[in-house]
């Protein structure tokens, strides 16, 4: 294992990485969830032969507090290095993956991870965290990572044994993937198909459909039109386009009536993982916008893999990679500063 303050080839550096497989990035903060994420990422690296890169974000305290000025020997960067080393030791002990390196990065968690993922094959994060990745899957940080990561994001939902079992080649549970015909969902289907082949897993391809709101109250649908038939045709078209006309053994095409998030959560019961596109339309419209995202990410009993539309990768990287996430040091607060007493704000 190599533990460094920066990778040999800095993450976020422009230019393609062609000499070696693209790395797997894992967000670390010392929490139990990030330890599970590390072990999960290690297993994926073992299966795929990809290098593993552990990243911990650090920041100066945003507001100085009483006693901070006396902590002249304390360094958040040094603390981050110590935390990272301790977490790696807890996760792997003496059996660290051969191609493991680590880095502490200055900046807020989401931009740091998104910058680190610029040339990655996968970004792995825990479902909850603290420290450098506090609230990683709650609110704006979760939304930023899910929407803007340039590579797929694996969220390690569930207890450690459930998560690691999902990567076993002897697990007979299916991989569930939601499709709606959008580019992101087709990419999700491709990756889910590759994962099913790698793990020897059945693949359940699911599409959700609903009657238009104006017809839910009992009004008849227009003659010769059926939203369920439309969904079934969309599902078959998507599956044959990505997987081929001869579907792989163990592949099931499933149409389910209902909103996207409940349909996927129901399908996740008894599955090993759920895969979905970062953006979509039709049955999975707005899947990563608002309540549907929170429902799937927060309530899935199994790991969730979010797959971006690869066609707009460059735009997402440009939009979500500030200078501080790419190696620039954020400004250090004045150690002598004090928060203004109540009633004395400017």
């Amino acid at each position: 294992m190599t533990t460094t303050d920066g990778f040999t080839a800095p993450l976020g550096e422009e230019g393609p990485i062609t000499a070696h497989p693209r790395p797997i990035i894992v967000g670390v903060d010392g929490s139990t969830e990030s330890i599970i994420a590390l072990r999960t990422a290690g297993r994926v690296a073992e299966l795929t032969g990809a290098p593993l890169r552990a990243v911990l974000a650090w920041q100066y305290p945003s507001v100085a507090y009483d006693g901070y000025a006396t902590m002249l020997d304390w360094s958040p960067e040094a603390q981050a290095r110590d935390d990272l080393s301790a977490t790696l030791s807890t996760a792997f002990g003496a059996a660290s993956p051969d191609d493991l390196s680590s880095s502490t990065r200055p900046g807020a968690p989401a931009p740091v991870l998104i910058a680190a993922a610029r040339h990655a094959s996968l970004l792995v994060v825990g479902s909850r965290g603290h420290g450098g990745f506090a609230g990683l899957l709650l609110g704006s940080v979760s939304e930023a990572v899910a929407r803007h990561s340039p590579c797929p994001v694996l969220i390690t939902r569930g207890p450690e044994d459930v998560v690691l079992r999902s990567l076993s080649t002897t697990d007979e549970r299916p991989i569930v993937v939601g499709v709606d015909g959008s580019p992101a969902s087709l990419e999700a289907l491709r990756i889910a198909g590759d994962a099913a082949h790698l793990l020897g897993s059945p693949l359940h391809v699911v599409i959700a459909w609903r009657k238009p709101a104006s017809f839910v109250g009992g009004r008849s649908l227009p003659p010769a039109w059926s939203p369920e038939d439309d969904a079934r045709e969309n599902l078959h078209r998507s599956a044959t386009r990505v997987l081929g006309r001869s579907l792989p053994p163990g592949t099931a095409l499933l149409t389910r009536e209902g909103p996207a998030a409940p349909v996927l959560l129901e399908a996740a019961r008894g599955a090993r993982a759920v895969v979905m596109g970062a953006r979509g339309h039709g049955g999975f419209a707005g899947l990563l916008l608002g309540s549907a995202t929170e429902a799937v990410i927060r309530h899935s009993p199994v790991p969730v893999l979010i797959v971006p539309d690869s066609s707009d990768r460059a735009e997402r990287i440009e939009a979500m990679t500030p200078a501080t996430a790419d190696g620039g040091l954020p400004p250090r607060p004045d150690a002598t500063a004090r928060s203004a007493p109540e009633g004395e704000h400017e």
Side-chain angles (χ1 to χ4, degrees), residues 274-290:
V274 174
V275 184
M276 55 190 184
R279 283 193 291 273
H281 55 65
F284 289 93
L287 187 57
L288 286 178
L289 302 176

Side-chain angles (χ1 to χ4, degrees), residues 116-308:
R118 294 180 74 169
H119 297 302
S121 60
L122 181 68
L123 171 60
V124 183
V125 294
S127 58
R128 287 185 298 275
H130 59 65
F133 289 96
L136 183 58
L137 289 176
L138 302 175
S140 61
V141 176
S142 165
E143 189 170 309
V145 171
R147 284 189 179 187
H148 298 290
S149 172
C151 71
V153 179
L154 177 61
I155 302 160
T156 56
R157 290 285 310 170
E160 181 174 0
D161 59 337
V162 171
V163 175
L164 294 180
R165 181 186 167 202
S166 70
L167 295 169
S168 168
T169 56
T170 60
D171 188 354
E172 297 181 353
R173 296 175 301 165
I175 293 172
V176 169
V177 55
V179 300
D180 64 4
S182 66
S185 79
L186 295 179
E187 183 71 3
L189 177 55
R190 182 189 67 78
I191 289 178
D194 289 346
H197 177 74
L198 180 67
L199 297 170
S201 169
L203 179 64
H204 288 184
V205 188
V206 181
I207 192 168
W209 66 273
R210 301 175 70 181
K211 294 179 181 178
S214 58
F215 296 98
V216 171
R219 294 176 56 191
S220 299
L221 294 170
W225 180 74
S226 164
E228 183 176 7
D229 288 344
D230 272 2
R232 188 175 291 109
E233 291 176 9
N234 188 352
L235 176 62
H236 186 267
R237 184 168 56 249
S238 297
T240 55
R241 177 178 175 181
V242 175
L243 303 175
R245 293 192 175 276
S246 297
L247 297 179
T251 302
L253 305 183
L254 308 173
T255 58
R256 295 290 184 264
E257 182 178 7
V263 163
L264 273 184
L265 289 172
E266 179 62 29
R269 296 171 182 260
R272 67 161 76 198
V274 174
V275 184
M276 55 190 184
R279 283 193 291 273
H281 55 65
F284 289 93
L287 187 57
L288 286 178
L289 302 176
S291 61
T293 290
E294 295 174 359
V296 174
I297 291 178
R298 294 186 180 186
H299 300 294
S300 173
V302 295
V304 178
L305 180 65
I306 301 172
V307 179

Side-chain angles (χ1 to χ4, degrees), residues 29-42:
D29 69 355
S31 65
T32 299
E33 286 75 11
S34 76
I35 292 172
I36 295 173
L38 268 170
R39 291 170 177 162
T40 302

Side-chain angles (χ1 to χ4, degrees), residues 5-169:
D5 186 43
F7 302 122
T8 302
L11 291 174
E13 188 175 64
E14 292 296 337
I17 296 177
T18 56
H20 304 286
R22 289 188 297 160
I24 294 168
I25 305 298
V26 54
V28 178
D29 69 355
S31 65
T32 299
E33 286 75 11
S34 76
I35 292 172
I36 295 173
L38 268 170
R39 291 170 177 162
T40 302
R43 173 59 177 156
V44 177
E46 179 185 352
L47 287 168
T48 62
L52 182 60
R53 308 288 184 251
V55 179
L56 189 149
W58 63 271
Q59 295 175 280
Y60 289 108
S62 57
V63 178
Y65 52 88
D66 288 341
Y68 176 73
T70 65
M71 299 172 62
L72 299 180
D73 294 332
W74 178 77
S75 163
E77 183 176 9
Q79 182 68 57
R81 289 198 199 101
D82 291 344
D83 291 346
L84 179 56
S85 178
T87 304
L88 291 173
S89 178
T90 300
F92 299 121
S96 296
D98 292 334
D99 199 354
L100 168 65
S101 61
S102 61
S103 176
T104 59
R105 292 291 173 116
V112 164
L113 284 179
I114 292 166
R118 294 180 74 169
H119 297 302
S121 60
L122 181 68
L123 171 60
V124 183
V125 294
S127 58
R128 287 185 298 275
H130 59 65
F133 289 96
L136 183 58
L137 289 176
L138 302 175
S140 61
V141 176
S142 165
E143 189 170 309
V145 171
R147 284 189 179 187
H148 298 290
S149 172
C151 71
V153 179
L154 177 61
I155 302 160
T156 56
R157 290 285 310 170
E160 181 174 0
D161 59 337
V162 171
V163 175
L164 294 180
R165 181 186 167 202
S166 70
L167 295 169
S168 168
T169 56

